[in-house]
Amino acid sequence: MSTLLQFGGSMRGVQRGQTTANYSNAALDVTITAVTTLTKTFVVANSGMGLSGVDAPTQAHAYLTSTTNLRIVNTKGDGSGSAPIVAWEVVEFY
């Protein structure tokens, strides 16, 4: 059974950024402007090229750990290769 999340009302705001994830699978925390509530906020993240301009072996994902913290984890990070650049958005609704 799947769960459908519905966000009613208008969009409160969007925060965007680009961050280089860690080479390892250690979490990287990014401070964001406080959102009002986590239940009406979601994260969109996309990773790709590494710092050297080559494809980075990555499966990076991002999630909120609090109203002011975005956590990025490179689950394929093994300490070698190129750290992936992660573009992220935090979208909040009323």
Side-chain angles (χ1 to χ4, degrees), residues 57-93:
T58 182
Q59 287 183 346
H61 64 278
Y63 58 95
L64 295 171
T65 61
S66 72
T67 59
T68 59
N69 190 71
L70 174 70
R71 178 162 288 166
I72 298 172
V73 179
N74 178 7
T75 55
K76 280 206 145 185
D78 62 2
S80 65
S82 182
I85 297 172
V86 178
W88 55 265
E89 291 183 330
V90 176
V91 182
E92 181 182 16
F93 287 84

PDB file of all heavy atoms in Angstrom, residues 57-93:
ATOM      1  N   PRO A  57      30.707   8.390  -8.752  1.00  0.00           N
ATOM      2  CA  PRO A  57      29.888   7.243  -8.363  1.00  0.00           C
ATOM      3  C   PRO A  57      29.123   7.602  -7.100  1.00  0.00           C
ATOM      4  O   PRO A  57      29.693   7.690  -6.025  1.00  0.00           O
ATOM      5  CB  PRO A  57      30.921   6.146  -8.105  1.00  0.00           C
ATOM      6  CG  PRO A  57      32.166   6.875  -7.748  1.00  0.00           C
ATOM      7  CD  PRO A  57      32.120   8.171  -8.480  1.00  0.00           C
ATOM      8  N   THR A  58      27.845   7.846  -7.261  1.00  0.00           N
ATOM      9  CA  THR A  58      27.090   8.368  -6.120  1.00  0.00           C
ATOM     10  C   THR A  58      25.660   7.863  -6.084  1.00  0.00           C
ATOM     11  O   THR A  58      25.096   7.503  -7.104  1.00  0.00           O
ATOM     12  CB  THR A  58      27.079   9.907  -6.155  1.00  0.00           C
ATOM     13  OG1 THR A  58      26.381  10.368  -4.995  1.00  0.00           O
ATOM     14  CG2 THR A  58      26.395  10.450  -7.364  1.00  0.00           C
ATOM     15  N   GLN A  59      25.153   7.831  -4.919  1.00  0.00           N
ATOM     16  CA  GLN A  59      23.729   7.657  -4.671  1.00  0.00           C
ATOM     17  C   GLN A  59      23.406   8.585  -3.519  1.00  0.00           C
ATOM     18  O   GLN A  59      22.970   8.166  -2.467  1.00  0.00           O
ATOM     19  CB  GLN A  59      23.385   6.210  -4.330  1.00  0.00           C
ATOM     20  CG  GLN A  59      23.433   5.284  -5.501  1.00  0.00           C
ATOM     21  CD  GLN A  59      23.026   3.866  -5.148  1.00  0.00           C
ATOM     22  OE1 GLN A  59      22.935   3.493  -3.996  1.00  0.00           O
ATOM     23  NE2 GLN A  59      22.779   3.072  -6.156  1.00  0.00           N
ATOM     24  N   ALA A  60      23.670   9.852  -3.709  1.00  0.00           N
ATOM     25  CA  ALA A  60      23.457  10.831  -2.646  1.00  0.00           C
ATOM     26  C   ALA A  60      21.963  11.072  -2.450  1.00  0.00           C
ATOM     27  O   ALA A  60      21.186  11.065  -3.401  1.00  0.00           O
ATOM     28  CB  ALA A  60      24.169  12.130  -2.989  1.00  0.00           C
ATOM     29  N   HIS A  61      21.588  11.264  -1.214  1.00  0.00           N
ATOM     30  CA  HIS A  61      20.219  11.644  -0.896  1.00  0.00           C
ATOM     31  C   HIS A  61      20.241  12.686   0.207  1.00  0.00           C
ATOM     32  O   HIS A  61      21.248  12.848   0.896  1.00  0.00           O
ATOM     33  CB  HIS A  61      19.369  10.431  -0.517  1.00  0.00           C
ATOM     34  CG  HIS A  61      19.806   9.731   0.727  1.00  0.00           C
ATOM     35  ND1 HIS A  61      20.830   8.806   0.747  1.00  0.00           N
ATOM     36  CD2 HIS A  61      19.378   9.832   2.004  1.00  0.00           C
ATOM     37  CE1 HIS A  61      20.998   8.358   1.984  1.00  0.00           C
ATOM     38  NE2 HIS A  61      20.136   8.965   2.770  1.00  0.00           N
ATOM     39  N   ALA A  62      19.139  13.396   0.353  1.00  0.00           N
ATOM     40  CA  ALA A  62      19.059  14.471   1.339  1.00  0.00           C
ATOM     41  C   ALA A  62      17.723  14.403   2.063  1.00  0.00           C
ATOM     42  O   ALA A  62      16.712  14.007   1.485  1.00  0.00           O
ATOM     43  CB  ALA A  62      19.223  15.818   0.653  1.00  0.00           C
ATOM     44  N   TYR A  63      17.750  14.803   3.323  1.00  0.00           N
ATOM     45  CA  TYR A  63      16.530  14.835   4.125  1.00  0.00           C
ATOM     46  C   TYR A  63      16.711  15.833   5.257  1.00  0.00           C
ATOM     47  O   TYR A  63      17.826  16.198   5.618  1.00  0.00           O
ATOM     48  CB  TYR A  63      16.180  13.447   4.653  1.00  0.00           C
ATOM     49  CG  TYR A  63      17.257  12.806   5.498  1.00  0.00           C
ATOM     50  CD1 TYR A  63      17.231  12.919   6.885  1.00  0.00           C
ATOM     51  CD2 TYR A  63      18.303  12.094   4.917  1.00  0.00           C
ATOM     52  CE1 TYR A  63      18.231  12.330   7.660  1.00  0.00           C
ATOM     53  CE2 TYR A  63      19.292  11.508   5.685  1.00  0.00           C
ATOM     54  CZ  TYR A  63      19.239  11.626   7.054  1.00  0.00           C
ATOM     55  OH  TYR A  63      20.224  11.050   7.816  1.00  0.00           O
ATOM     56  N   LEU A  64      15.588  16.284   5.816  1.00  0.00           N
ATOM     57  CA  LEU A  64      15.629  17.224   6.923  1.00  0.00           C
ATOM     58  C   LEU A  64      15.723  16.470   8.242  1.00  0.00           C
ATOM     59  O   LEU A  64      14.969  15.525   8.473  1.00  0.00           O
ATOM     60  CB  LEU A  64      14.384  18.113   6.918  1.00  0.00           C
ATOM     61  CG  LEU A  64      14.256  19.045   5.724  1.00  0.00           C
ATOM     62  CD1 LEU A  64      12.880  19.714   5.717  1.00  0.00           C
ATOM     63  CD2 LEU A  64      15.340  20.096   5.742  1.00  0.00           C
ATOM     64  N   THR A  65      16.636  16.889   9.098  1.00  0.00           N
ATOM     65  CA  THR A  65      16.742  16.294  10.437  1.00  0.00           C
ATOM     66  C   THR A  65      16.111  17.210  11.480  1.00  0.00           C
ATOM     67  O   THR A  65      15.855  16.791  12.599  1.00  0.00           O
ATOM     68  CB  THR A  65      18.205  16.029  10.827  1.00  0.00           C
ATOM     69  OG1 THR A  65      18.918  17.271  10.834  1.00  0.00           O
ATOM     70  CG2 THR A  65      18.848  15.050   9.858  1.00  0.00           C
ATOM     71  N   SER A  66      15.895  18.466  11.112  1.00  0.00           N
ATOM     72  CA  SER A  66      15.226  19.437  11.976  1.00  0.00           C
ATOM     73  C   SER A  66      14.713  20.558  11.085  1.00  0.00           C
ATOM     74  O   SER A  66      14.899  20.519   9.864  1.00  0.00           O
ATOM     75  CB  SER A  66      16.194  19.994  13.032  1.00  0.00           C
ATOM     76  OG  SER A  66      17.129  20.870  12.432  1.00  0.00           O
ATOM     77  N   THR A  67      14.124  21.561  11.684  1.00  0.00           N
ATOM     78  CA  THR A  67      13.596  22.676  10.888  1.00  0.00           C
ATOM     79  C   THR A  67      14.694  23.563  10.321  1.00  0.00           C
ATOM     80  O   THR A  67      14.429  24.409   9.474  1.00  0.00           O
ATOM     81  CB  THR A  67      12.633  23.542  11.722  1.00  0.00           C
ATOM     82  OG1 THR A  67      13.341  24.044  12.864  1.00  0.00           O
ATOM     83  CG2 THR A  67      11.405  22.748  12.156  1.00  0.00           C
ATOM     84  N   THR A  68      15.939  23.364  10.758  1.00  0.00           N
ATOM     85  CA  THR A  68      17.048  24.187  10.263  1.00  0.00           C
ATOM     86  C   THR A  68      18.218  23.370   9.716  1.00  0.00           C
ATOM     87  O   THR A  68      19.277  23.923   9.439  1.00  0.00           O
ATOM     88  CB  THR A  68      17.597  25.098  11.383  1.00  0.00           C
ATOM     89  OG1 THR A  68      18.051  24.276  12.457  1.00  0.00           O
ATOM     90  CG2 THR A  68      16.559  26.093  11.860  1.00  0.00           C
ATOM     91  N   ASN A  69      18.043  22.052   9.563  1.00  0.00           N
ATOM     92  CA  ASN A  69      19.174  21.227   9.122  1.00  0.00           C
ATOM     93  C   ASN A  69      18.793  20.272   7.997  1.00  0.00           C
ATOM     94  O   ASN A  69      17.868  19.472   8.119  1.00  0.00           O
ATOM     95  CB  ASN A  69      19.728  20.407  10.286  1.00  0.00           C
ATOM     96  CG  ASN A  69      21.034  19.750   9.904  1.00  0.00           C
ATOM     97  OD1 ASN A  69      22.056  20.413   9.762  1.00  0.00           O
ATOM     98  ND2 ASN A  69      21.011  18.436   9.711  1.00  0.00           N
ATOM     99  N   LEU A  70      19.536  20.381   6.898  1.00  0.00           N
ATOM    100  CA  LEU A  70      19.408  19.469   5.761  1.00  0.00           C
ATOM    101  C   LEU A  70      20.610  18.541   5.803  1.00  0.00           C
ATOM    102  O   LEU A  70      21.748  18.991   5.854  1.00  0.00           O
ATOM    103  CB  LEU A  70      19.405  20.268   4.454  1.00  0.00           C
ATOM    104  CG  LEU A  70      19.433  19.465   3.158  1.00  0.00           C
ATOM    105  CD1 LEU A  70      18.112  18.740   2.956  1.00  0.00           C
ATOM    106  CD2 LEU A  70      19.733  20.389   1.988  1.00  0.00           C
ATOM    107  N   ARG A  71      20.365  17.248   5.814  1.00  0.00           N
ATOM    108  CA  ARG A  71      21.456  16.263   5.854  1.00  0.00           C
ATOM    109  C   ARG A  71      21.605  15.621   4.488  1.00  0.00           C
ATOM    110  O   ARG A  71      20.647  15.139   3.895  1.00  0.00           O
ATOM    111  CB  ARG A  71      21.178  15.196   6.907  1.00  0.00           C
ATOM    112  CG  ARG A  71      22.271  14.126   6.946  1.00  0.00           C
ATOM    113  CD  ARG A  71      22.237  13.353   8.218  1.00  0.00           C
ATOM    114  NE  ARG A  71      22.728  14.228   9.285  1.00  0.00           N
ATOM    115  CZ  ARG A  71      22.590  13.959  10.573  1.00  0.00           C
ATOM    116  NH1 ARG A  71      21.994  12.866  10.964  1.00  0.00           N
ATOM    117  NH2 ARG A  71      23.045  14.800  11.478  1.00  0.00           N
ATOM    118  N   ILE A  72      22.846  15.603   3.977  1.00  0.00           N
ATOM    119  CA  ILE A  72      23.173  14.996   2.691  1.00  0.00           C
ATOM    120  C   ILE A  72      24.096  13.816   2.951  1.00  0.00           C
ATOM    121  O   ILE A  72      25.103  13.954   3.643  1.00  0.00           O
ATOM    122  CB  ILE A  72      23.843  16.009   1.751  1.00  0.00           C
ATOM    123  CG1 ILE A  72      22.876  17.165   1.474  1.00  0.00           C
ATOM    124  CG2 ILE A  72      24.293  15.339   0.460  1.00  0.00           C
ATOM    125  CD1 ILE A  72      23.487  18.317   0.726  1.00  0.00           C
ATOM    126  N   VAL A  73      23.750  12.662   2.387  1.00  0.00           N
ATOM    127  CA  VAL A  73      24.549  11.453   2.577  1.00  0.00           C
ATOM    128  C   VAL A  73      24.867  10.855   1.213  1.00  0.00           C
ATOM    129  O   VAL A  73      23.978  10.637   0.401  1.00  0.00           O
ATOM    130  CB  VAL A  73      23.803  10.409   3.442  1.00  0.00           C
ATOM    131  CG1 VAL A  73      24.635   9.157   3.612  1.00  0.00           C
ATOM    132  CG2 VAL A  73      23.435  10.991   4.800  1.00  0.00           C
ATOM    133  N   ASN A  74      26.146  10.596   0.969  1.00  0.00           N
ATOM    134  CA  ASN A  74      26.605   9.930  -0.245  1.00  0.00           C
ATOM    135  C   ASN A  74      26.727   8.442   0.094  1.00  0.00           C
ATOM    136  O   ASN A  74      27.749   7.990   0.566  1.00  0.00           O
ATOM    137  CB  ASN A  74      27.952  10.511  -0.687  1.00  0.00           C
ATOM    138  CG  ASN A  74      28.521   9.835  -1.915  1.00  0.00           C
ATOM    139  OD1 ASN A  74      27.856   9.012  -2.537  1.00  0.00           O
ATOM    140  ND2 ASN A  74      29.742  10.162  -2.259  1.00  0.00           N
ATOM    141  N   THR A  75      25.680   7.686  -0.139  1.00  0.00           N
ATOM    142  CA  THR A  75      25.646   6.288   0.290  1.00  0.00           C
ATOM    143  C   THR A  75      26.627   5.397  -0.456  1.00  0.00           C
ATOM    144  O   THR A  75      26.895   4.283  -0.050  1.00  0.00           O
ATOM    145  CB  THR A  75      24.229   5.696   0.161  1.00  0.00           C
ATOM    146  OG1 THR A  75      23.774   5.868  -1.176  1.00  0.00           O
ATOM    147  CG2 THR A  75      23.273   6.377   1.119  1.00  0.00           C
ATOM    148  N   LYS A  76      27.178   5.873  -1.575  1.00  0.00           N
ATOM    149  CA  LYS A  76      28.184   5.093  -2.299  1.00  0.00           C
ATOM    150  C   LYS A  76      29.587   5.601  -2.040  1.00  0.00           C
ATOM    151  O   LYS A  76      30.539   5.111  -2.621  1.00  0.00           O
ATOM    152  CB  LYS A  76      27.907   5.134  -3.800  1.00  0.00           C
ATOM    153  CG  LYS A  76      26.839   4.187  -4.248  1.00  0.00           C
ATOM    154  CD  LYS A  76      27.072   3.827  -5.678  1.00  0.00           C
ATOM    155  CE  LYS A  76      26.660   2.396  -5.865  1.00  0.00           C
ATOM    156  NZ  LYS A  76      26.938   1.903  -7.173  1.00  0.00           N
ATOM    157  N   GLY A  77      29.707   6.606  -1.182  1.00  0.00           N
ATOM    158  CA  GLY A  77      31.017   7.181  -0.913  1.00  0.00           C
ATOM    159  C   GLY A  77      31.949   6.179  -0.262  1.00  0.00           C
ATOM    160  O   GLY A  77      31.617   5.551   0.728  1.00  0.00           O
ATOM    161  N   ASP A  78      33.122   6.005  -0.861  1.00  0.00           N
ATOM    162  CA  ASP A  78      34.086   5.050  -0.319  1.00  0.00           C
ATOM    163  C   ASP A  78      35.417   5.722   0.007  1.00  0.00           C
ATOM    164  O   ASP A  78      36.418   5.068   0.248  1.00  0.00           O
ATOM    165  CB  ASP A  78      34.300   3.887  -1.280  1.00  0.00           C
ATOM    166  CG  ASP A  78      34.886   4.326  -2.618  1.00  0.00           C
ATOM    167  OD1 ASP A  78      35.162   5.534  -2.793  1.00  0.00           O
ATOM    168  OD2 ASP A  78      35.068   3.469  -3.482  1.00  0.00           O
ATOM    169  N   GLY A  79      35.427   7.066  -0.013  1.00  0.00           N
ATOM    170  CA  GLY A  79      36.643   7.792   0.305  1.00  0.00           C
ATOM    171  C   GLY A  79      37.567   7.999  -0.878  1.00  0.00           C
ATOM    172  O   GLY A  79      38.633   8.572  -0.743  1.00  0.00           O
ATOM    173  N   SER A  80      37.180   7.532  -2.050  1.00  0.00           N
ATOM    174  CA  SER A  80      38.016   7.706  -3.234  1.00  0.00           C
ATOM    175  C   SER A  80      37.176   8.337  -4.342  1.00  0.00           C
ATOM    176  O   SER A  80      35.993   8.561  -4.189  1.00  0.00           O
ATOM    177  CB  SER A  80      38.561   6.353  -3.704  1.00  0.00           C
ATOM    178  OG  SER A  80      37.496   5.528  -4.133  1.00  0.00           O
ATOM    179  N   GLY A  81      37.794   8.587  -5.449  1.00  0.00           N
ATOM    180  CA  GLY A  81      37.061   9.130  -6.587  1.00  0.00           C
ATOM    181  C   GLY A  81      36.793  10.604  -6.428  1.00  0.00           C
ATOM    182  O   GLY A  81      37.578  11.341  -5.853  1.00  0.00           O
ATOM    183  N   SER A  82      35.659  11.041  -6.909  1.00  0.00           N
ATOM    184  CA  SER A  82      35.302  12.448  -6.902  1.00  0.00           C
ATOM    185  C   SER A  82      34.036  12.659  -6.088  1.00  0.00           C
ATOM    186  O   SER A  82      33.058  11.940  -6.268  1.00  0.00           O
ATOM    187  CB  SER A  82      35.080  12.907  -8.343  1.00  0.00           C
ATOM    188  OG  SER A  82      34.786  14.268  -8.379  1.00  0.00           O
ATOM    189  N   ALA A  83      34.060  13.621  -5.190  1.00  0.00           N
ATOM    190  CA  ALA A  83      32.873  13.915  -4.388  1.00  0.00           C
ATOM    191  C   ALA A  83      31.792  14.511  -5.279  1.00  0.00           C
ATOM    192  O   ALA A  83      32.068  15.415  -6.070  1.00  0.00           O
ATOM    193  CB  ALA A  83      33.229  14.875  -3.268  1.00  0.00           C
ATOM    194  N   PRO A  84      30.566  14.029  -5.190  1.00  0.00           N
ATOM    195  CA  PRO A  84      29.502  14.527  -6.056  1.00  0.00           C
ATOM    196  C   PRO A  84      29.000  15.898  -5.615  1.00  0.00           C
ATOM    197  O   PRO A  84      28.981  16.224  -4.436  1.00  0.00           O
ATOM    198  CB  PRO A  84      28.403  13.480  -5.897  1.00  0.00           C
ATOM    199  CG  PRO A  84      28.616  12.946  -4.529  1.00  0.00           C
ATOM    200  CD  PRO A  84      30.098  12.957  -4.320  1.00  0.00           C
ATOM    201  N   ILE A  85      28.597  16.681  -6.599  1.00  0.00           N
ATOM    202  CA  ILE A  85      27.936  17.950  -6.329  1.00  0.00           C
ATOM    203  C   ILE A  85      26.438  17.667  -6.266  1.00  0.00           C
ATOM    204  O   ILE A  85      25.883  17.028  -7.154  1.00  0.00           O
ATOM    205  CB  ILE A  85      28.255  18.970  -7.426  1.00  0.00           C
ATOM    206  CG1 ILE A  85      29.760  19.258  -7.435  1.00  0.00           C
ATOM    207  CG2 ILE A  85      27.449  20.249  -7.219  1.00  0.00           C
ATOM    208  CD1 ILE A  85      30.222  20.092  -8.598  1.00  0.00           C
ATOM    209  N   VAL A  86      25.803  18.118  -5.193  1.00  0.00           N
ATOM    210  CA  VAL A  86      24.381  17.865  -4.972  1.00  0.00           C
ATOM    211  C   VAL A  86      23.629  19.189  -5.041  1.00  0.00           C
ATOM    212  O   VAL A  86      23.938  20.127  -4.297  1.00  0.00           O
ATOM    213  CB  VAL A  86      24.148  17.198  -3.598  1.00  0.00           C
ATOM    214  CG1 VAL A  86      22.658  16.973  -3.362  1.00  0.00           C
ATOM    215  CG2 VAL A  86      24.902  15.894  -3.500  1.00  0.00           C
ATOM    216  N   ALA A  87      22.667  19.272  -5.953  1.00  0.00           N
ATOM    217  CA  ALA A  87      21.769  20.422  -6.026  1.00  0.00           C
ATOM    218  C   ALA A  87      20.530  20.045  -5.215  1.00  0.00           C
ATOM    219  O   ALA A  87      20.016  18.938  -5.339  1.00  0.00           O
ATOM    220  CB  ALA A  87      21.390  20.705  -7.472  1.00  0.00           C
ATOM    221  N   TRP A  88      20.080  20.957  -4.366  1.00  0.00           N
ATOM    222  CA  TRP A  88      18.936  20.646  -3.488  1.00  0.00           C
ATOM    223  C   TRP A  88      17.944  21.795  -3.415  1.00  0.00           C
ATOM    224  O   TRP A  88      18.292  22.945  -3.679  1.00  0.00           O
ATOM    225  CB  TRP A  88      19.421  20.262  -2.091  1.00  0.00           C
ATOM    226  CG  TRP A  88      20.302  21.294  -1.440  1.00  0.00           C
ATOM    227  CD1 TRP A  88      21.677  21.305  -1.452  1.00  0.00           C
ATOM    228  CD2 TRP A  88      19.912  22.451  -0.717  1.00  0.00           C
ATOM    229  NE1 TRP A  88      22.147  22.410  -0.778  1.00  0.00           N
ATOM    230  CE2 TRP A  88      21.082  23.135  -0.312  1.00  0.00           C
ATOM    231  CE3 TRP A  88      18.679  22.998  -0.377  1.00  0.00           C
ATOM    232  CZ2 TRP A  88      21.052  24.306   0.424  1.00  0.00           C
ATOM    233  CZ3 TRP A  88      18.644  24.196   0.364  1.00  0.00           C
ATOM    234  CH2 TRP A  88      19.824  24.822   0.762  1.00  0.00           C
ATOM    235  N   GLU A  89      16.706  21.426  -3.104  1.00  0.00           N
ATOM    236  CA  GLU A  89      15.631  22.391  -2.863  1.00  0.00           C
ATOM    237  C   GLU A  89      14.851  21.930  -1.632  1.00  0.00           C
ATOM    238  O   GLU A  89      14.600  20.738  -1.468  1.00  0.00           O
ATOM    239  CB  GLU A  89      14.635  22.446  -4.015  1.00  0.00           C
ATOM    240  CG  GLU A  89      15.141  23.028  -5.276  1.00  0.00           C
ATOM    241  CD  GLU A  89      14.056  23.113  -6.348  1.00  0.00           C
ATOM    242  OE1 GLU A  89      13.142  22.278  -6.341  1.00  0.00           O
ATOM    243  OE2 GLU A  89      14.153  24.020  -7.164  1.00  0.00           O
ATOM    244  N   VAL A  90      14.492  22.858  -0.802  1.00  0.00           N
ATOM    245  CA  VAL A  90      13.605  22.602   0.329  1.00  0.00           C
ATOM    246  C   VAL A  90      12.343  23.393   0.043  1.00  0.00           C
ATOM    247  O   VAL A  90      12.385  24.618  -0.061  1.00  0.00           O
ATOM    248  CB  VAL A  90      14.248  23.031   1.667  1.00  0.00           C
ATOM    249  CG1 VAL A  90      13.260  22.841   2.814  1.00  0.00           C
ATOM    250  CG2 VAL A  90      15.527  22.244   1.918  1.00  0.00           C
ATOM    251  N   VAL A  91      11.212  22.695  -0.112  1.00  0.00           N
ATOM    252  CA  VAL A  91       9.949  23.319  -0.506  1.00  0.00           C
ATOM    253  C   VAL A  91       8.991  23.232   0.671  1.00  0.00           C
ATOM    254  O   VAL A  91       8.735  22.153   1.202  1.00  0.00           O
ATOM    255  CB  VAL A  91       9.339  22.620  -1.737  1.00  0.00           C
ATOM    256  CG1 VAL A  91       8.067  23.302  -2.171  1.00  0.00           C
ATOM    257  CG2 VAL A  91      10.346  22.565  -2.880  1.00  0.00           C
ATOM    258  N   GLU A  92       8.433  24.394   1.058  1.00  0.00           N
ATOM    259  CA  GLU A  92       7.521  24.446   2.205  1.00  0.00           C
ATOM    260  C   GLU A  92       6.170  25.018   1.771  1.00  0.00           C
ATOM    261  O   GLU A  92       6.113  25.979   1.005  1.00  0.00           O
ATOM    262  CB  GLU A  92       8.126  25.315   3.308  1.00  0.00           C
ATOM    263  CG  GLU A  92       7.258  25.404   4.541  1.00  0.00           C
ATOM    264  CD  GLU A  92       7.844  26.295   5.618  1.00  0.00           C
ATOM    265  OE1 GLU A  92       8.762  27.087   5.330  1.00  0.00           O
ATOM    266  OE2 GLU A  92       7.359  26.216   6.743  1.00  0.00           O
ATOM    267  N   PHE A  93       5.103  24.417   2.277  1.00  0.00           N
ATOM    268  CA  PHE A  93       3.744  24.866   2.017  1.00  0.00           C
ATOM    269  C   PHE A  93       3.108  25.412   3.285  1.00  0.00           C
ATOM    270  O   PHE A  93       3.538  25.088   4.387  1.00  0.00           O
ATOM    271  CB  PHE A  93       2.885  23.699   1.487  1.00  0.00           C
ATOM    272  CG  PHE A  93       3.208  23.320   0.074  1.00  0.00           C
ATOM    273  CD1 PHE A  93       4.264  22.460  -0.191  1.00  0.00           C
ATOM    274  CD2 PHE A  93       2.488  23.826  -0.975  1.00  0.00           C
ATOM    275  CE1 PHE A  93       4.577  22.109  -1.489  1.00  0.00           C
ATOM    276  CE2 PHE A  93       2.791  23.497  -2.284  1.00  0.00           C
ATOM    277  CZ  PHE A  93       3.846  22.629  -2.534  1.00  0.00           C
TER     278      PHE A  93
END
